[in-house]
Amino acid sequence: MSLQGKKVIVLAENDYEDPELWYPYYRLLEAGAEVTIVGPRAETYTSKHGYPAQATLAAEEARATDYDGIVIPGGYAPDKMRRYPALLKLVRDIHERGGVVAFICHAGWVPVSAGILKGKRVTGVGAIKDDLVNAGATFVDEAVVVDGKMVSSRTPADLPAFMPGIIKALGG
């Protein structure tokens, strides 16, 4: 289950869902991955509950070729993230080069806007089911759905299923 040598991005923007950012961040570190928090800008973002996350790299400075995967947390942050072309390009580029794209809860909005869901099986919080389907995905109501290198989950309660899916997709 070692992810030694793997490099993964965890995205951040204001109003992220606390456990959906920090649980993956620490689990990936624990598994041996190098984890970088990336945001629209290299600055501090605050969660829905006031907890800070420091993005050390801006999306436009991150190169997809340097990373094996990207994790997108939910909360209200994805509705903000999807407004940044550089962030969407980063997600799309990681996907197109065969990297892991993982998202949970409302984070499905980001791959919707990146245009990478057509023909994929995914899940997410029920509130965005129509958005996922309208983007060309098949919605499945399960704790974790893995379709190739795409890993998705519904809510924080699904994190114990989400993380093994991500770690396996990364080759751990």
Side-chain angles (χ1 to χ4, degrees), residues 28-113:
L28 291 166
L29 285 178
E30 179 183 44
E34 180 182 325
V35 185
T36 304
I37 297 178
V38 174
R41 292 167 302 284
E43 64 184 46
T44 301
Y45 295 94
T46 306
S47 74
K48 287 172 36 179
H49 305 287
Y51 196 79
Q54 177 63 49
T56 57
L57 194 61
E60 66 186 15
E61 297 167 346
R63 293 188 340 232
T65 54
D66 292 342
Y67 296 93
D68 300 291
I70 190 165
V71 178
I72 311 164
Y76 304 121
D79 190 37
K80 297 174 184 180
M81 290 177 190
R82 69 193 306 192
R83 302 172 196 193
Y84 295 96
L87 193 145
L88 297 177
K89 181 180 183 323
L90 179 62
V91 171
R92 191 170 33 255
D93 289 351
I94 287 173
H95 171 72
E96 288 175 355
R97 66 178 296 275
V100 172
V101 175
F103 53 94
I104 185 167
C105 205
H106 286 82
W109 276 333
V110 175
V112 163
S113 293

Side-chain angles (χ1 to χ4, degrees), residues 1 6 13 24-25 29 48 61 69 76 81 90 101 105 114 119 145 151 158 166 168:
M1 149 149 118
K6 301 290 183 178
E13 175 48 288
Y25 178 85
L29 285 178
K48 287 172 36 179
E61 297 167 346
Y76 304 121
M81 290 177 190
L90 179 62
V101 175
C105 205
V145 175
V151 182
D158 296 329
I166 293 170
K168 184 176 180 183

